[in-house]
Amino acid sequence: MTTTGIGHIATFTRTAAICAAAAAMAFALAGCNKTAEEKKAFAQRMAAPTAVVMPASKGEPVEGGLTKSRDGYPSFGAPLTAANVQMSDEQAAELQHQLTALSAKRQSGAISEAEYQRRVAEMRELAARHGAETLSEITK
């Protein structure tokens, strides 16, 4: 009876090992199904963002963007500077008012769908261009 039990255990173990090897092979081959474009898009999503080092806006410039204590170690106690001037509350309220008015005109039928889409495209182009212009000013 022990021979039969050991035989069942050996058969079960062998079957489990074969199934595990097949599953590992399936997982390994699953990565091969991606196209070059999918692999490139994945690599871009996983890439670390590019750091932009800003000069100090007040006081003396600091080496590497961090102040150093007397013993030479970096100090994180200095206030950090923003990459750009933040939008004021008045500017945000004005922009929100413009967008709400545009949406209301669209819903009431005061402007056509084509005109609405043209204005939206104009705002998106402005946002894209403004970002690039601001970045070029920052890096000067």
Side-chain angles (χ1 to χ4, degrees):
M1 182 151 193
T2 57
T3 312
T4 307
I6 292 175
H8 287 300
I9 292 172
T11 303
F12 176 76
T13 305
R14 199 170 339 152
T15 305
I18 291 170
C19 290
M25 183 66 79
F27 282 125
L29 292 177
C32 297
N33 294 335
K34 293 183 179 180
T35 63
E37 293 83 20
E38 291 172 334
K39 289 179 182 178
K40 183 178 178 183
F42 179 75
Q44 287 175 343
R45 284 194 311 270
M46 298 308 292
T50 306
V52 178
V53 178
M54 299 298 302
S57 59
K58 297 178 186 173
E60 61 187 54
V62 259
E63 179 184 326
L66 295 173
T67 58
K68 295 193 178 192
S69 61
R70 286 175 286 177
D71 57 2
Y73 291 102
S75 169
F76 297 97
L80 300 175
T81 58
N84 197 2
V85 178
Q86 298 298 309
M87 180 186 291
S88 70
D89 291 338
E90 293 81 22
Q91 290 172 325
E94 176 60 29
L95 183 59
Q96 184 177 6
H97 175 72
Q98 290 175 357
L99 294 174
T100 305
L102 180 60
S103 176
K105 287 180 183 178
R106 177 186 184 201
Q107 290 177 349
S108 69
I111 61 172
S112 67
E113 181 68 22
E115 175 67 15
Y116 173 79
Q117 293 298 335
R118 184 191 67 77
R119 288 188 185 180
V120 168
E122 183 180 290
M123 288 182 191
R124 287 185 178 149
E125 179 195 352
L126 175 65
R129 188 178 63 235
H130 176 70
E133 289 172 359
T134 304
L135 184 61
S136 69
E137 287 178 16
I138 290 171
T139 57
K140 284 183 183 178

